[in-house]
Amino acid sequence: EADIYQTPRYLVIGTGKKITLECSQTMGHDKMYWYQQDPGMELHLIHYSYGVNSTEKGDLSSESTVSRIRTEHFPLTLESARPSHTSQYLCASSEPGTGMNTEAFFGQGTRLTVV
Amino acid sequence: AQKVTQAQTEISVVEKEDVTLDCVYETRDTTYYLFWYKQPPSGELVFLIRRNSFDEQNEISGRYSWNFQKSTSSFNFTITASQVVDSAVYFCALSERGGSEKLVFGKGTKLTVNP
C-alpha cells in the first residue's frame, strides 16, 4: 500500500485567499508530482520535482507554486485563489528510475472549491 | 506529441458481464510505457499495470487482462465477469523514456457495474 498523504481532503475557500495543499510521502522517493484533475476527469501534470531543491513546471500551465525543501514533503501553494482553481489536486511520487519507468503512487487527492 | 485517447466516456454493464475499455495512444518515441490506473470514488489513483513498448505479450491478472498491439497503437483492458466493486473511473496513461513524471493521461472511462 502506498504511503503518500494529502491534506486536506476537501477545502472550500473564498476568492483571494492564500492556500497550501500538503503532500507527504514516507517511501523515500526522490520524484514527486502534482496533477490537476478538472471536473471532466482529465489529469494534467502541473509540477514535478526530481529531489530536494528541484522543481519544474509540468505540461499544464498553473498559477500555483511548489517547493521541495525536504524529500518527503512537496507542498503546493496558491497565493490568491480564484474560482478557476476549483479542481482536484493529486500528488504522486515514484522511485528513481534506472532507465525504466517506475510506478507512480498517488495520494487520495485534495478537492478544492473556490467560491 | 503524446496523446492518449479513451473514446468511451461512460460504460454501464450488468454484473458478470465482460467489458473492454479501449485505449489508443500516439507517440513518436520508440521507447515508451503504458499504464492503466483505477480511480474509485474515494479519489486516489490505483496502479493496475505498466507495459513497455518492447513487450507486446498480453497479460492476465485474475479477472483483468490487457491486450497491447503496437500495430494499432492500442492497449485495451478487459474485465471478465465484472463485479460491482469494479465500478470506477479507469485511466490509460503514456510516458516516454525518462520517468513517469511525463505521464499523459486519457480522459478516463467511467465504468458502472450494476447488480
Side-chain angles (χ1 to χ4, degrees):
Chain A
E1 193 166 306
D3 294 314
I4 180 163
Y5 308 100
Q6 290 185 243
T7 57
R9 287 291 312 279
Y10 304 93
L11 180 63
V12 180
I13 61 167
T15 299
K17 298 290 186 184
K18 177 181 178 179
I19 58 165
T20 296
L21 309 184
E22 302 289 347
C23 176
S24 295
Q25 50 96 3
T26 59
M27 297 171 281
H29 290 168
D30 286 330
K31 293 183 179 179
M32 295 189 74
Y33 325 90
W34 278 102
Y35 287 85
Q36 183 174 340
Q37 184 174 24
D38 61 26
M41 302 186 299
E42 197 164 4
L43 290 106
H44 297 282
L45 180 69
I46 53 174
H47 298 284
Y48 61 99
S49 167
Y50 290 125
V52 171
N53 294 326
S54 154
T55 61
E56 302 284 345
K57 289 191 178 294
D59 300 327
L60 180 69
S61 176
S62 174
E63 293 168 346
S64 59
T65 59
V66 292
S67 62
R68 190 85 183 278
I69 299 172
R70 304 198 315 264
T71 298
E72 63 271 19
H73 195 212
F74 191 39
L76 181 146
T77 298
L78 277 166
E79 290 292 333
S80 180
R82 296 206 301 271
S84 60
H85 297 140
T86 294
S87 191
Q88 170 152 265
Y89 294 85
L90 285 154
C91 181
S93 71
S94 67
E95 295 174 349
T98 55
M100 296 283 290
N101 275 304
T102 56
E103 171 192 347
F105 295 92
F106 283 82
Q108 288 192 302
T110 294
R111 192 172 298 278
L112 172 66
T113 302
V114 184
V115 297
Chain B
Q2 298 174 295
K3 185 178 179 182
V4 175
T5 301
Q6 294 179 255
Q8 306 148 307
T9 305
E10 292 193 40
I11 299 176
S12 182
V13 299
V14 177
E15 208 169 17
K16 297 184 183 177
E17 281 186 34
D18 298 348
V19 58
T20 295
L21 309 182
D22 297 332
C23 173
V24 174
Y25 63 91
E26 295 176 31
T27 179
R28 293 180 182 173
D29 242 17
T30 55
T31 303
Y32 52 89
Y33 299 82
L34 295 162
F35 303 77
W36 275 95
Y37 281 88
K38 173 182 180 180
Q39 187 175 41
S42 52
E44 76 276 20
L45 282 174
V46 178
F47 170 81
L48 295 177
I49 190 171
R50 176 185 67 244
R51 254 295 174 263
N52 73 59
S53 52
F54 300 112
D55 182 2
E56 283 193 75
Q57 271 193 329
N58 292 332
E59 176 139 348
I60 298 175
S61 176
R63 295 184 298 105
Y64 295 171
S65 62
W66 290 270
N67 181 265
F68 176 27
Q69 291 198 341
K70 287 178 76 171
S71 60
T72 55
S73 297
S74 65
F75 187 43
N76 296 337
F77 172 33
T78 298
I79 301 175
T80 303
S82 59
Q83 299 175 1
V84 173
V85 294
D86 295 327
S87 297
V89 180
Y90 291 86
F91 289 94
C92 181
L94 165 73
S95 75
E96 293 173 345
R97 190 173 189 173
S100 54
E101 70 268 16
K102 292 296 184 183
L103 276 173
V104 174
F105 285 87
K107 293 188 176 185
T109 298
K110 182 178 181 181
L111 173 65
T112 302
V113 181
N114 299 297

